[in-house]
Amino acid sequence: MIKRMFAALCCIIALPTFAQETITKESKKMEWFDDAKLGIFIHWGIYAVNGLSESWSFFNNYTSHDNYLQQLNGFTGKNYNPQDWVNLIEESGAKYTVITTKHHDGIALWDTKGDKGLSTAKDAVARKDVLTPFIQAVKKSKLKTGLYFSLPDWSHPYYDIKTRTQKRYELKDDPTRWNNFVSFYQKQLTELSQQFKPDLLWFDGDWEHSSAEWKAEESLALLRKYNPNIIINSRLNHHGDYETPEQGIPVVRPQGRYWELCYTMNDSWGFQHFDQNYKTPNMIVRTLVDCISMGGNLLLDIGPKEDGTIPEEQVAILKELRRWTKKHAEAVYGTRAGIGFDYVREKNAFSKDGKTLYVYLDALKKSLLLYNLEKKPLQIRLVGSQENVDYKYHEYSLDISLEKNSFDPVCTVVAIDFEDKPAFDAVTVGMIPSVYGGLNIESTIKGINYYATNIAHGYNLFKGMLNDDGSILNKNLVFASEDVKTWVKKHAEVLYAAKAGIDANHYTGYSALSPDKQTLYLFVEGKPTGPIALKGIKNAISRVRIVGEGSMIGHKTYNKLYWSDRPGIIYIDIPEDRLDKNMTVIAVLLDRPIELHKEEVKAIENNL
């Protein structure tokens, strides 16, 4: 075996930087946020009464502004117990929480004294400041305090915009009125700062005006006057400390050092009575893992009902998060982004000191391979258990055996401990691989991996040696493993003419494309704990089937925002009794040659 096992597969790539970062005042301020990994977002307001889209329902003229405000008469909070909320959030494993103090509808959850401002304390039937008791409970806990604040206020007479089709005035015609609004919103920021002493301020809605019009620098200085270490998100016209991609898991990591994915459990931020399109707890845990592996945080949203109770579906998801985060705490908190997929084809992250690499497995697998590793590890173990893991280290390759280990029902974490921060050789170009390179591999899974890996990287090893249904196989192909031969013939449709697949940011496993690039083949190793996931596929899907036996199976797309060209996340459930014992291949027929979305996931500025 040559030193660089992937030498035949990839071009030179750059490794992530794992060296200790220079400690600055800013990085010290961000440390708790960087370590937290999980926060809980809370969207609560009068929109929960009728289950309307928060603020957007009247802005888009789906209902009148007057009808929307009628919900003030139904907002009671009669079963609201803020301590129960805090207990549930802490138990989920979250380290911070962010609550809507005021959405774009302008209705404050605290008793604001801002001129002409609406609030639940004086305008809702509840006649309560519902924010203060929650923040008081948060302050008694170990959670960090985050406050969401909408810059626009579509109900306020001083604000220029009322709905998508109505404006109250033009700024150039009435600058005094606009300055009065800026004074109003800055007074509210002063109230929030003085009364609640937030650790984090989460702005929203900055797209409606420029930084100069918002007087963003002035607002930032105001907040820092009360808390010099306050953390601000990126939605104050880019004056903040971290990026906030929304809804779609990023295909590529955001460019900023710090980032957080804000994400709903179903399709709604606030409580909507008829939205039952919930993701499973399995999907949510794996979304958290996605964020961890890319060095970011997940800010997961809940939407309480108008009476202050949290929907049972949302409670169930938080309880599964509690189970998983408690068991795997060391592989969640304080972690940093991992190594590239060219070194291990699984999501992964480093411990804060860089001496442990955590590999997250969402399938029951017999083995795990790492490439180009310069030093042998001290030990390998399963996080959350007392089990050590057998492995072999030979010529820069780490072969981890998992056949004797117990797996987590959602996501198993393998911890690889080193004496020092591990180094990985750069992957370099080498000689072109040959079909014969896999013939003498006696291990079935390694033999299949050899062919799947090379095909995924664009080396069609069986070209001219196999026909499309496997009935003809070149007589010179003598396999050491009969199981490998059987697998090759079963999956001849893929192997005889496949092109390079998509990169691991879109699908973690190996993949290939048909010559016309309209069929995407997904290689599935082991037994998945839930549906397999595809990110950043712009195409519509015509059908999904299992290669080699023809079964049609279903798929479901989440987070496809109909007003946006941003693709959703495609989940494909594979029936357990149809899985190949070694490696299953799924064929995804697309409506046209594949198109991939790689743009950075950003804030949503339109909710039509």
Side-chain angles (χ1 to χ4, degrees):
M1 185 182 295
I2 59 173
K3 176 180 174 181
R4 297 179 177 89
M5 187 166 180
F6 269 9
L9 306 181
C10 308
C11 296
I12 296 174
I13 66 168
L15 278 171
T17 300
F18 304 128
Q20 179 67 38
E21 295 176 3
T22 302
I23 301 299
T24 65
K25 182 179 178 181
E26 285 302 303
S27 64
K28 193 65 179 174
K29 177 185 81 171
M30 296 299 294
E31 188 173 15
W32 75 258
F33 179 85
D34 204 17
D35 290 346
K37 298 307 167 193
L38 178 62
I40 299 298
F41 216 172
I42 304 170
H43 275 69
W44 195 34
I46 69 166
Y47 36 83
V49 174
N50 293 333
L52 303 180
S53 293
E54 59 287 336
S55 311
W56 294 98
S57 51
F58 74 80
F59 183 82
N60 290 321
N61 298 311
Y62 295 163
T63 188
S64 70
H65 185 245
D66 287 344
N67 284 342
Y68 182 90
L69 292 184
Q70 287 299 312
Q71 293 176 107
L72 286 163
N73 299 322
F75 188 78
T76 65
K78 61 183 179 181
N79 296 314
Y80 172 43
N81 187 328
Q83 189 59 56
D84 286 350
W85 285 19
V86 170
N87 292 344
L88 186 63
I89 292 168
E90 273 201 299
E91 289 171 2
S92 74
K95 299 299 182 183
Y96 63 108
T97 186
V98 179
I99 186 170
T100 49
T101 64
K102 182 186 79 166
H103 207 269
H104 310 323
D105 59 13
I107 300 167
L109 298 190
W110 79 100
D111 188 14
T112 180
K113 305 305 180 186
D115 185 32
K116 303 185 187 303
L118 297 173
S119 73
T120 58
K122 64 182 179 61
D123 298 298
V125 69
R127 293 293 187 270
K128 290 179 186 175
D129 169 350
V130 293
L131 181 62
T132 296
F134 176 71
I135 301 302
Q136 287 174 340
V138 170
K139 294 294 185 182
K140 293 175 184 176
S141 73
K142 295 180 180 179
L143 297 169
K144 293 289 188 179
T145 305
L147 303 180
Y148 167 107
F149 183 83
S150 169
L151 289 162
D153 186 330
W154 294 330
S155 296
H156 202 282
Y158 296 159
Y159 194 65
D160 60 324
I161 297 170
K162 183 176 182 180
T163 72
R164 184 175 299 280
T165 57
Q166 297 179 44
K167 288 196 73 171
R168 293 183 178 90
Y169 63 95
E170 296 292 338
L171 267 63
K172 59 181 175 60
D173 298 332
D174 201 343
T176 300
R177 193 173 179 185
W178 175 252
N179 287 333
N180 286 340
F181 176 76
V182 171
S183 297
F184 162 76
Y185 99 73
Q186 289 182 342
K187 176 177 175 56
Q188 288 194 322
L189 289 179
T190 300
E191 291 177 345
L192 293 174
S193 297
Q194 291 177 331
Q195 294 178 41
F196 305 122
K197 299 176 174 55
D199 301 294
L200 182 151
L201 207 298
W202 213 101
F203 282 108
D204 198 12
D206 62 349
W207 60 82
E208 287 199 329
H209 289 285
S210 69
S211 177
E213 289 168 346
W214 288 123
K215 295 186 179 177
E217 293 280 2
E218 184 181 299
S219 295
L220 195 60
L222 183 155
L223 293 168
R224 287 176 175 164
K225 180 178 75 172
Y226 294 101
N227 179 3
N229 292 317
I230 194 167
I231 293 174
I232 309 292
N233 74 334
S234 59
R235 302 189 188 189
L236 186 60
N237 282 109
H238 310 291
H239 287 289
D241 300 298
Y242 69 95
E243 296 182 53
T244 54
E246 185 167 339
Q247 290 289 46
I249 303 169
V251 174
V252 294
R253 176 181 171 158
Q255 294 179 1
R257 168 65 181 84
Y258 307 104
W259 64 274
E260 164 199 82
L261 171 67
C262 54
Y263 201 68
T264 57
M265 295 181 177
N266 52 6
D267 293 329
S268 310
W269 294 105
F271 175 69
Q272 293 196 20
H273 302 65
F274 307 114
D275 184 358
Q276 296 300 314
N277 194 35
Y278 280 96
K279 305 167 188 76
T280 66
N282 177 290
M283 294 174 186
I284 298 294
V285 170
R286 286 163 55 196
T287 298
L288 172 60
V289 169
D290 262 302
C291 295
I292 291 170
S293 67
M294 289 190 280
N297 292 4
L298 173 64
L299 184 63
L300 183 66
D301 183 66
I302 59 174
K305 299 178 182 180
E306 64 81 19
D307 68 351
T309 58
I310 299 172
E312 59 183 20
E313 296 91 344
Q314 299 180 15
V315 172
I317 288 171
L318 294 181
K319 286 183 176 180
E320 177 58 20
L321 274 170
R322 174 180 62 192
R323 182 200 70 79
W324 192 84
T325 56
K326 184 177 181 180
K327 178 180 178 182
H328 301 96
E330 70 162 280
V332 177
Y333 311 110
T335 54
R336 300 295 183 259
I339 55 174
F341 287 119
D342 288 295
Y343 300 92
V344 58
R345 196 77 175 197
E346 301 287 351
K347 297 165 191 171
N348 62 88
F350 276 104
S351 59
K352 197 170 183 177
D353 64 7
K355 294 181 181 180
T356 299
L357 179 67
Y358 298 107
V359 182
Y360 307 90
L361 304 178
D362 53 19
L364 282 62
K365 303 178 66 171
K366 295 178 182 178
S367 64
L368 175 66
L369 301 173
L370 273 77
Y371 305 100
N372 289 45
L373 177 62
E374 291 190 354
K375 288 186 179 180
K376 181 180 178 179
L378 291 175
Q379 67 172 348
I380 302 179
R381 56 193 169 83
L382 290 191
V383 176
S385 82
Q386 302 300 313
E387 297 178 65
N388 281 337
V389 179
D390 293 334
Y391 69 93
K392 293 179 181 178
Y393 177 73
H394 181 64
E395 293 182 339
Y396 285 68
S397 294
L398 185 62
D399 184 355
I400 302 171
S401 175
L402 298 166
E403 292 189 88
K404 297 178 182 178
N405 296 101
S406 54
F407 279 70
D408 185 86
V410 174
C411 183
T412 302
V413 184
V414 178
I416 307 172
D417 297 319
F418 298 89
E419 186 175 357
D420 298 301
K421 297 174 185 177
F424 291 79
D425 263 12
V427 178
T428 57
V429 173
M431 58 185 177
I432 302 299
S434 163
V435 69
Y436 298 104
L439 295 182
N440 294 325
I441 300 176
E442 294 182 357
S443 164
T444 299
I445 193 61
K446 288 183 181 177
I448 291 172
N449 258 295
Y450 176 84
Y451 292 118
T453 303
N454 279 287
I455 286 169
H457 285 86
Y459 296 99
N460 192 336
L461 305 187
F462 289 97
K463 185 176 182 180
M465 307 192 81
L466 177 71
N467 70 338
D468 60 357
D469 67 358
S471 59
I472 300 174
L473 185 66
N474 189 295
K475 63 182 181 180
N476 293 321
L477 299 181
V478 180
F479 294 85
S481 168
E482 193 63 28
D483 282 344
V484 175
K485 179 180 179 180
T486 300
W487 185 87
V488 167
K489 294 179 69 175
K490 177 181 177 181
H491 299 96
E493 170 196 338
V494 188
L495 306 180
Y496 91 105
K499 302 292 185 183
I502 56 179
D503 67 57
N505 292 311
H506 296 280
Y507 173 65
T508 306
Y510 294 114
S511 63
L513 285 164
S514 59
D516 63 4
K517 296 188 177 182
Q518 198 165 334
T519 299
L520 173 62
Y521 296 104
L522 307 175
F523 296 82
V524 183
E525 187 179 348
K527 176 185 172 184
T529 61
I532 60 173
L534 270 173
K535 295 188 297 181
I537 308 297
K538 291 184 178 181
N539 305 67
I541 293 178
S542 301
R543 63 174 53 171
V544 182
R545 59 183 170 82
I546 302 174
V547 174
E549 55 105 290
S551 297
M552 300 294 177
I553 56 177
H555 70 281
K556 191 168 184 180
T557 301
Y558 288 87
N559 294 102
K560 177 65 185 89
L561 310 174
Y562 65 88
W563 59 83
S564 168
D565 63 355
R566 184 186 309 163
I569 304 165
I570 301 162
Y571 288 99
I572 302 171
D573 259 315
I574 308 172
E576 185 177 338
D577 63 349
R578 300 302 172 93
L579 290 168
D580 185 275
K581 66 178 181 178
N582 295 307
M583 185 180 287
T584 309
V585 182
I586 303 300
V588 181
L589 179 63
L590 307 172
D591 62 335
R592 61 188 186 279
I594 193 167
E595 294 181 31
L596 300 174
H597 177 96
K598 291 183 180 291
E599 289 80 0
E600 192 172 350
V601 178
K602 298 182 180 179
I604 293 172
E605 301 183 1
N606 185 350
N607 197 357
L608 183 60

